[in-house]
Amino acid sequence: MTKPANFSLLHTARTLLPGIGLCVAITAAAYALQSVEVLIFGKASLEALVLAILLGTCVRSLWSPGAGWQAGICFSARTLLEFSVVLLGVSISAASVVSLGPVLLVGIAAVVAAAILVSFGIGTLLGLPPRMALLVACGNAICGNSAIAAVAPVIRADAKDVAASIAFTAVLGIVVVLGLPVLGIAAGMTGISFGIFAGMTVYAVPQVLAATLPLGTLAVQMGTVVKLVRVLMLGPVCFALSLLAPKLPPEKPDGSDVTAGPATPKRAGFAQFVPWFILGFLALMLCRTFGLVPAGWIAPINQVATVLTVISMAALGLGVDARTVTKAGGRVTTAVVLSLAGLAVLSLLLLDVVHLR
């Protein structure tokens, strides 16, 4: 007997609620701490976005949520995060993208391509298998976990390599979000220059919010636009790698070299090239461009997007397990860190080219 649709929805809600509730509780604590900062110091040095990551990581370090919590945590970390990106579309018009100018747009594409080559070269020199090196390179140069997830089936990557790459992305993503604003303020960067720098170096689209918020609205808007242009490079990169994949030798079962039989390749779909939330973002951006979004709606929608992002950052913190990272080995650690440093250097060179440093 087929179960009614409302039963299925109720079951799904019950499955998700514990994890979502935990993330919401951490979010509430983050906003409370932000309010305490304002009350004591007159301003919030650490925004709720950052505090949610830190609190989530602390909770995960002291307690590992069981299976009953995981569905809601994953939903918060991924689906709510994607919805927050979609809603951000109302804050940016197509004119703002065009305003970046052809030099900056070409520069973003060039930095992504150069970062992939540099990172792949670093991984190869350190002895990483080609597929692992490509995962690290694409995750570093484009958009972290989303790029790794999209590239993995295209190049037939080993599951353990994918897990290690994503673990490093989670940890380094937090390090970048926390450290980049300090670097930007210390260097005296303007909102525009820091927005470009953050948009070029931060892994995930919503994390750009956390990294740029301390330097103001202009930094947030510029960082978001630059980051989205960078994410759109995922399509061409996946297409290029699909041509390269047949030439890559298969890996050994232990992942140490490349001699075992190949995995069955998966056909890359359109959703892998351009994630649905990017399409949603572009749709709302066009609605804003053509005046289809009432002016009075923009601020409330942005507030909802911010809250969803904070919840997602709490979930991200709950997913960080330093032990998984340490198991990946020193070579992978070195490759990821050096690749991130290389991307930062290339991004600073881009600022010099467009005379914004």
Side-chain angles (χ1 to χ4, degrees):
M1 182 177 179
T2 304
K3 295 180 181 179
N6 58 350
F7 177 86
S8 178
L9 289 174
L10 183 61
H11 176 73
T12 300
R14 287 177 175 174
T15 302
L16 295 177
L17 277 178
I20 294 176
L22 177 60
C23 295
V24 170
I26 293 174
T27 298
Y31 274 110
L33 286 177
Q34 178 181 277
S35 298
V36 171
E37 283 187 86
V38 174
L39 184 64
I40 296 175
F41 304 108
K43 65 176 183 178
S45 299
L46 291 178
E47 303 286 344
L49 284 160
V50 177
L51 289 169
I53 298 175
L54 294 175
L55 289 174
T57 303
C58 288
V59 171
R60 179 65 178 83
S61 299
L62 298 172
W63 168 63
S64 181
W69 304 87
Q70 293 304 318
I73 292 173
C74 292
F75 179 84
S76 300
R78 181 172 181 176
T79 306
L80 292 185
L81 178 150
E82 292 171 346
F83 274 115
S84 72
V85 174
V86 172
L87 294 178
L88 283 174
V90 302
S91 65
I92 300 172
S93 68
S96 62
V97 176
V98 175
S99 69
L100 294 179
V103 174
L104 184 53
L105 290 173
V106 172
I108 293 171
V111 167
V112 169
I116 290 175
L117 293 176
V118 169
S119 181
F120 181 75
I122 290 171
T124 301
L125 288 174
L126 290 172
L128 296 183
R131 287 177 175 80
M132 180 65 170
L134 280 174
L135 289 176
V136 170
C138 292
N140 176 71
I142 305 174
C143 53
N145 291 349
S146 297
I148 292 170
V151 167
V154 176
I155 64 173
R156 297 167 293 165
D158 181 82
K160 288 186 291 186
D161 289 345
V162 175
S165 301
I166 288 178
F168 274 105
T169 298
V171 172
L172 280 182
I174 291 176
V175 173
V176 172
V177 167
L178 295 176
L180 215 59
V182 177
L183 177 62
I185 293 172
M189 287 185 172
T190 65
I192 293 177
S193 61
F194 183 75
I196 294 174
F197 183 58
M200 289 303 306
T201 52
V202 174
Y203 285 140
V205 178
Q207 289 176 352
V208 172
L209 285 174
T212 54
L213 198 59
L215 278 88
T217 303
L218 189 58
V220 172
Q221 292 176 343
M222 181 61 72
T224 302
V225 173
V226 169
K227 177 59 184 174
L228 287 169
V229 173
R230 182 176 157 211
V231 170
L232 291 175
M233 288 293 295
L234 185 59
V237 168
C238 284
F239 176 75
L241 290 178
S242 70
L243 301 178
L244 175 65
K247 301 178 182 180
L248 292 174
E251 295 184 354
K252 285 182 179 179
D254 62 1
S256 61
D257 208 314
V258 283
T259 56
T264 303
K266 296 181 181 179
R267 185 179 297 275
F270 181 74
Q272 288 179 301
F273 289 164
V274 183
W276 76 269
F277 58 90
I278 297 299
L279 295 177
F281 175 94
L282 293 174
L284 283 186
M285 185 178 71
L286 290 176
C287 289
R288 167 72 185 276
T289 301
F290 291 108
L292 299 179
V293 179
W297 291 14
I298 295 175
I301 291 175
N302 284 338
Q303 185 60 42
V304 171
T306 299
V307 172
L308 290 178
T309 302
V310 177
I311 295 173
S312 298
M313 293 301 100
L316 175 64
L318 287 169
V320 174
D321 186 351
R323 291 169 296 182
T324 303
V325 177
T326 57
K327 290 178 182 178
R331 287 186 302 173
V332 182
T333 305
T334 304
V336 175
V337 172
L338 290 179
S339 296
L340 182 59
L343 177 61
V345 170
L346 290 170
S347 300
L348 290 174
L349 290 175
L350 176 61
L351 290 178
D352 284 336
V353 170
V354 296
H355 306 294
L356 286 173
R357 189 173 176 180

Coordinates of all heavy atoms in Angstrom, one line a residue, residues 29-95:
A29 N 22.8 31.2 19.7 CA 23.9 31.5 20.6 C 24.8 32.5 20.0 O 25.4 33.4 20.7 CB 24.6 30.2 21.0
A30 N 25.1 32.4 18.7 CA 26.0 33.3 18.0 C 25.5 34.7 18.0 O 26.2 35.6 18.2 CB 26.2 32.7 16.5
Y31 N 24.2 34.8 17.7 CA 23.6 36.2 17.7 C 23.6 36.8 19.1 O 23.7 38.0 19.3 CB 22.1 36.1 17.1 CG 22.1 36.2 15.6 CD1 21.7 35.1 14.8 CD2 22.4 37.4 15.0 CE1 21.7 35.2 13.5 CE2 22.3 37.5 13.6 CZ 22.0 36.4 12.8 OH 21.9 36.5 11.5
A32 N 23.4 35.9 20.1 CA 23.4 36.4 21.5 C 24.8 36.9 21.9 O 24.9 38.0 22.5 CB 23.0 35.3 22.4
L33 N 25.8 36.2 21.5 CA 27.2 36.6 21.7 C 27.5 37.9 21.0 O 28.2 38.8 21.5 CB 28.2 35.5 21.3 CG 28.2 34.3 22.3 CD1 29.2 33.3 21.7 CD2 28.7 34.7 23.7
Q34 N 27.0 38.0 19.8 CA 27.2 39.2 19.0 C 26.5 40.4 19.7 O 27.1 41.5 19.8 CB 26.6 39.1 17.6 CG 26.7 40.4 16.7 CD 26.1 40.2 15.4 OE1 26.7 39.6 14.5 NE2 24.8 40.7 15.2
S35 N 25.4 40.2 20.3 CA 24.7 41.3 21.0 C 25.5 41.6 22.3 O 25.6 42.8 22.6 CB 23.3 40.8 21.4 OG 22.5 40.5 20.3
V36 N 26.1 40.7 22.9 CA 26.9 40.9 24.1 C 28.1 41.8 23.7 O 28.5 42.7 24.5 CB 27.3 39.6 24.8 CG1 28.4 39.9 25.9 CG2 26.1 38.9 25.4
E37 N 28.7 41.4 22.6 CA 29.9 42.2 22.1 C 29.5 43.7 21.9 O 30.2 44.6 22.3 CB 30.4 41.7 20.8 CG 31.2 40.4 20.8 CD 31.7 40.1 19.5 OE1 32.8 40.6 19.1 OE2 31.1 39.3 18.7
V38 N 28.3 43.9 21.3 CA 27.9 45.3 21.0 C 27.6 46.0 22.3 O 27.9 47.2 22.5 CB 26.6 45.2 20.1 CG1 26.0 46.6 20.0 CG2 26.9 44.7 18.8
L39 N 27.0 45.3 23.3 CA 26.7 45.9 24.6 C 27.9 46.3 25.3 O 28.0 47.3 26.0 CB 25.8 44.9 25.4 CG 25.3 45.4 26.7 CD1 24.3 46.5 26.5 CD2 24.6 44.2 27.5
I40 N 29.0 45.4 25.3 CA 30.2 45.7 26.1 C 31.1 46.6 25.3 O 31.7 47.6 25.9 CB 30.9 44.4 26.4 CG1 30.0 43.5 27.3 CG2 32.2 44.7 27.1 CD1 30.6 42.2 27.6
F41 N 31.3 46.4 24.0 CA 32.4 47.1 23.3 C 31.8 48.2 22.3 O 32.6 48.9 21.7 CB 33.2 46.1 22.5 CG 33.9 45.1 23.3 CD1 33.4 43.8 23.3 CD2 34.9 45.4 24.2 CE1 34.0 42.8 24.1 CE2 35.5 44.4 25.0 CZ 35.0 43.1 24.9
G42 N 30.5 48.2 22.2 CA 29.9 49.2 21.2 C 29.9 48.7 19.8 O 29.3 49.3 18.9
K43 N 30.5 47.6 19.5 CA 30.5 47.0 18.2 C 30.8 45.5 18.3 O 31.3 45.0 19.3 CB 31.5 47.7 17.2 CG 33.0 47.5 17.6 CD 33.9 48.1 16.6 CE 35.4 47.8 17.0 NZ 36.3 48.4 16.0
A44 N 30.5 44.8 17.2 CA 30.8 43.4 17.2 C 32.1 43.1 16.4 O 32.0 43.2 15.1 CB 29.6 42.6 16.5
S45 N 33.1 42.8 17.0 CA 34.4 42.4 16.3 C 34.3 41.1 15.6 O 34.8 40.9 14.5 CB 35.5 42.4 17.3 OG 35.7 43.6 17.9
L46 N 33.5 40.2 16.2 CA 33.3 38.9 15.5 C 31.8 38.9 15.2 O 30.9 38.9 16.2 CB 33.6 37.7 16.5 CG 35.1 37.5 16.7 CD1 35.4 36.4 17.6 CD2 35.9 37.2 15.4
E47 N 31.4 38.8 14.0 CA 30.0 38.8 13.6 C 29.4 37.4 13.8 O 30.1 36.4 14.0 CB 29.9 39.1 12.1 CG 30.5 40.5 11.7 CD 29.6 41.6 12.1 OE1 28.4 41.4 12.4 OE2 30.1 42.8 12.1
A48 N 28.1 37.3 13.9 CA 27.4 36.1 14.1 C 27.8 35.0 13.1 O 27.9 33.8 13.5 CB 25.9 36.3 14.1
L49 N 28.1 35.4 11.9 CA 28.5 34.4 10.9 C 29.7 33.7 11.3 O 29.8 32.4 11.3 CB 28.8 35.1 9.6 CG 27.6 35.5 8.7 CD1 27.9 36.6 7.7 CD2 27.0 34.4 8.0
V50 N 30.7 34.4 11.8 CA 32.0 33.8 12.3 C 31.8 33.1 13.6 O 32.3 32.0 13.8 CB 33.1 34.9 12.4 CG1 34.4 34.3 13.0 CG2 33.3 35.6 11.1
L51 N 31.0 33.7 14.5 CA 30.8 33.0 15.8 C 30.1 31.7 15.6 O 30.3 30.7 16.4 CB 29.9 34.0 16.7 CG 30.6 35.2 17.2 CD1 29.6 36.2 17.8 CD2 31.7 34.8 18.2
A52 N 29.2 31.6 14.7 CA 28.5 30.3 14.4 C 29.4 29.2 14.0 O 29.3 28.1 14.4 CB 27.4 30.5 13.3
I53 N 30.4 29.6 13.2 CA 31.4 28.6 12.7 C 32.2 28.1 14.0 O 32.4 26.9 14.2 CB 32.4 29.2 11.7 CG1 31.6 29.6 10.4 CG2 33.5 28.2 11.3 CD1 32.4 30.3 9.4
L54 N 32.7 29.1 14.8 CA 33.5 28.8 15.9 C 32.7 27.9 16.9 O 33.2 26.9 17.5 CB 34.0 30.0 16.6 CG 35.0 30.9 15.8 CD1 35.3 32.2 16.5 CD2 36.2 30.1 15.5
L55 N 31.5 28.3 17.2 CA 30.7 27.6 18.2 C 30.4 26.1 17.6 O 30.4 25.2 18.4 CB 29.3 28.3 18.4 CG 29.4 29.6 19.3 CD1 28.1 30.3 19.3 CD2 29.9 29.3 20.7
G56 N 30.1 26.0 16.4 CA 29.8 24.7 15.8 C 31.0 23.8 15.9 O 30.9 22.6 16.2
T57 N 32.2 24.4 15.6 CA 33.4 23.6 15.7 C 33.7 23.2 17.1 O 34.2 22.1 17.4 CB 34.6 24.5 15.2 OG1 34.3 24.9 13.8 CG2 35.9 23.6 15.2
C58 N 33.4 24.1 18.1 CA 33.6 23.7 19.5 C 32.7 22.6 19.9 O 33.1 21.6 20.6 CB 33.4 25.0 20.4 SG 34.7 26.2 20.3
V59 N 31.4 22.7 19.5 CA 30.5 21.6 19.8 C 31.0 20.3 19.2 O 31.0 19.2 19.9 CB 29.1 22.0 19.3 CG1 28.1 20.8 19.4 CG2 28.5 23.2 20.1
R60 N 31.4 20.3 18.0 CA 31.9 19.1 17.3 C 33.1 18.5 17.9 O 33.3 17.3 18.0 CB 32.2 19.4 15.8 CG 32.7 18.2 15.0 CD 31.6 17.2 14.9 NE 32.0 16.0 14.1 CZ 32.8 15.0 14.6 NH1 33.2 15.0 15.8 NH2 33.2 14.1 13.8
S61 N 34.0 19.4 18.5 CA 35.2 18.9 19.2 C 34.9 18.2 20.5 O 35.6 17.3 20.9 CB 36.1 20.1 19.4 OG 36.5 20.7 18.2
L62 N 33.8 18.7 21.1 CA 33.4 18.1 22.4 C 32.5 17.0 22.3 O 32.4 16.1 23.2 CB 32.8 19.2 23.3 CG 33.7 20.4 23.7 CD1 33.0 21.5 24.4 CD2 34.9 19.9 24.5
W63 N 31.7 16.9 21.2 CA 30.7 15.9 21.1 C 30.4 15.6 19.6 O 30.3 16.6 18.8 CB 29.4 16.4 21.8 CG 28.1 15.6 21.5 CD1 27.9 14.3 21.8 CD2 27.0 16.1 20.8 NE1 26.6 14.0 21.3 CE2 26.0 15.0 20.7 CE3 26.6 17.3 20.2 CZ2 24.8 15.2 20.1 CZ3 25.4 17.5 19.6 CH2 24.5 16.4 19.6
S64 N 30.3 14.4 19.3 CA 30.1 14.0 17.9 C 28.6 13.6 17.7 O 28.1 12.6 18.3 CB 30.9 12.8 17.5 OG 30.7 12.4 16.1
P65 N 27.8 14.5 17.0 CA 26.4 14.2 16.9 C 26.1 12.8 16.2 O 26.8 12.5 15.2 CB 25.9 15.3 16.0 CG 26.9 16.4 16.2 CD 28.2 15.7 16.4
G66 N 25.2 12.1 16.7 CA 24.9 10.8 16.2 C 24.1 10.8 14.9 O 23.9 11.9 14.3
A67 N 23.8 9.6 14.4 CA 23.1 9.5 13.1 C 21.8 10.3 13.0 O 21.4 10.8 12.0 CB 22.9 8.1 12.7
G68 N 21.1 10.4 14.1 CA 19.8 11.1 14.2 C 19.9 12.6 13.9 O 18.9 13.2 13.6
W69 N 21.1 13.1 14.1 CA 21.3 14.5 13.9 C 21.8 14.9 12.5 O 21.7 16.0 12.1 CB 22.3 15.1 14.9 CG 22.0 14.8 16.3 CD1 22.3 13.7 17.1 CD2 21.3 15.7 17.2 NE1 21.9 13.8 18.4 CE2 21.2 15.1 18.5 CE3 20.7 17.0 17.1 CZ2 20.6 15.6 19.6 CZ3 20.1 17.5 18.2 CH2 20.0 16.9 19.4
Q70 N 22.4 13.9 11.8 CA 23.2 14.2 10.6 C 22.3 14.7 9.4 O 22.8 15.5 8.7 CB 23.9 12.9 10.2 CG 25.1 12.5 11.2 CD 26.0 13.7 11.4 OE1 26.4 14.4 10.5 NE2 26.4 13.9 12.7
A71 N 21.1 14.1 9.3 CA 20.3 14.6 8.1 C 20.0 16.1 8.2 O 20.1 16.8 7.2 CB 19.0 13.8 8.1
G72 N 19.6 16.5 9.4 CA 19.3 18.0 9.5 C 20.6 18.8 9.4 O 20.5 19.9 8.9
I73 N 21.7 18.4 9.9 CA 22.9 19.1 9.8 C 23.4 19.2 8.3 O 23.7 20.3 7.9 CB 24.1 18.5 10.6 CG1 23.8 18.6 12.1 CG2 25.4 19.1 10.3 CD1 24.7 17.8 13.0
C74 N 23.3 18.1 7.6 CA 23.6 18.2 6.2 C 22.7 19.1 5.4 O 23.1 19.8 4.5 CB 23.6 16.7 5.6 SG 24.9 15.7 6.3
F75 N 21.4 19.0 5.8 CA 20.4 19.9 5.1 C 20.7 21.3 5.3 O 20.7 22.2 4.4 CB 19.0 19.5 5.6 CG 17.9 20.4 5.0 CD1 17.3 20.0 3.8 CD2 17.4 21.5 5.7 CE1 16.3 20.8 3.3 CE2 16.4 22.3 5.2 CZ 15.9 21.9 3.9
S76 N 21.1 21.7 6.6 CA 21.4 23.0 6.9 C 22.7 23.5 6.2 O 22.8 24.6 5.7 CB 21.6 23.2 8.4 OG 20.4 22.9 9.1
A77 N 23.7 22.6 6.2 CA 25.0 23.0 5.6 C 24.9 23.1 4.1 O 25.6 23.9 3.5 CB 26.0 21.9 5.9
R78 N 24.0 22.4 3.4 CA 24.0 22.4 2.0 C 22.8 23.1 1.4 O 22.9 24.1 0.7 CB 24.1 21.0 1.4 CG 24.1 20.9 -0.1 CD 24.3 19.5 -0.6 NE 24.4 19.5 -2.1 CZ 24.6 18.5 -2.8 NH1 24.9 17.3 -2.2 NH2 24.6 18.5 -4.1
T79 N 21.6 22.6 1.7 CA 20.4 23.1 1.1 C 20.0 24.5 1.6 O 19.7 25.4 0.8 CB 19.2 22.2 1.4 OG1 19.5 20.8 1.0 CG2 17.9 22.6 0.7
L80 N 20.1 24.8 2.9 CA 19.8 26.1 3.4 C 20.9 27.1 2.9 O 20.6 28.2 2.6 CB 19.8 26.1 4.9 CG 18.6 25.4 5.6 CD1 18.7 25.6 7.1 CD2 17.3 25.8 5.0
L81 N 22.1 26.6 2.8 CA 23.2 27.4 2.2 C 22.9 27.8 0.8 O 23.0 29.0 0.4 CB 24.5 26.7 2.4 CG 25.8 27.3 1.8 CD1 27.0 26.8 2.7 CD2 26.0 26.9 0.4
E82 N 22.4 26.8 0.0 CA 22.1 27.1 -1.4 C 20.9 28.1 -1.5 O 21.0 28.9 -2.4 CB 21.8 25.8 -2.1 CG 23.1 24.9 -2.2 CD 22.8 23.5 -2.7 OE1 21.6 23.1 -2.7 OE2 23.7 22.8 -3.1
F83 N 19.9 27.9 -0.7 CA 18.8 28.9 -0.7 C 19.3 30.3 -0.4 O 18.8 31.3 -0.9 CB 17.7 28.4 0.2 CG 16.7 27.4 -0.4 CD1 16.6 26.1 0.1 CD2 15.9 27.8 -1.5 CE1 15.8 25.2 -0.5 CE2 15.1 26.9 -2.1 CZ 15.0 25.6 -1.6
S84 N 20.2 30.4 0.6 CA 20.7 31.7 0.9 C 21.4 32.4 -0.2 O 21.3 33.6 -0.4 CB 21.6 31.6 2.1 OG 22.9 31.0 1.8
V85 N 22.1 31.6 -1.0 CA 22.8 32.1 -2.2 C 21.8 32.6 -3.2 O 21.9 33.7 -3.8 CB 23.7 31.0 -2.8 CG1 24.3 31.6 -4.2 CG2 24.9 30.7 -1.9
V86 N 20.7 31.8 -3.4 CA 19.7 32.2 -4.4 C 19.1 33.5 -4.0 O 18.9 34.5 -4.8 CB 18.5 31.1 -4.4 CG1 17.4 31.6 -5.2 CG2 19.1 29.8 -5.0
L87 N 18.8 33.7 -2.7 CA 18.1 34.9 -2.2 C 19.1 36.1 -2.3 O 18.6 37.3 -2.5 CB 17.7 34.8 -0.7 CG 16.6 33.8 -0.5 CD1 16.3 33.7 1.0 CD2 15.3 34.2 -1.2
L88 N 20.4 35.9 -2.3 CA 21.3 37.0 -2.5 C 21.2 37.6 -3.8 O 21.7 38.8 -4.0 CB 22.8 36.5 -2.3 CG 23.2 36.3 -0.8 CD1 24.6 35.6 -0.8 CD2 23.2 37.6 -0.1
G89 N 20.6 36.9 -4.8 CA 20.4 37.5 -6.1 C 19.7 38.8 -6.2 O 19.9 39.6 -7.1
V90 N 18.8 39.0 -5.2 CA 18.0 40.3 -5.2 C 18.9 41.5 -4.8 O 18.5 42.6 -5.1 CB 16.8 40.2 -4.3 CG1 15.9 39.1 -4.7 CG2 17.2 40.1 -2.8
S91 N 20.1 41.3 -4.3 CA 20.9 42.4 -3.9 C 21.9 42.9 -4.9 O 22.6 43.8 -4.8 CB 21.7 42.0 -2.6 OG 22.6 41.0 -2.9
I92 N 21.9 42.1 -6.1 CA 22.9 42.5 -7.1 C 22.1 42.5 -8.5 O 21.3 41.6 -8.8 CB 24.0 41.4 -7.2 CG1 24.7 41.4 -5.8 CG2 24.9 41.7 -8.3 CD1 25.7 40.2 -5.7
S93 N 22.4 43.5 -9.2 CA 21.9 43.6 -10.6 C 22.9 43.3 -11.6 O 24.1 43.2 -11.3 CB 21.4 45.1 -10.8 OG 22.5 46.0 -10.9
A94 N 22.4 42.9 -12.8 CA 23.4 42.6 -13.9 C 24.3 43.7 -14.2 O 25.5 43.5 -14.6 CB 22.6 42.2 -15.1
A95 N 23.9 44.9 -13.9 CA 24.7 46.1 -14.2 C 26.0 46.0 -13.3 O 27.1 46.5 -13.7 CB 24.0 47.4 -13.9

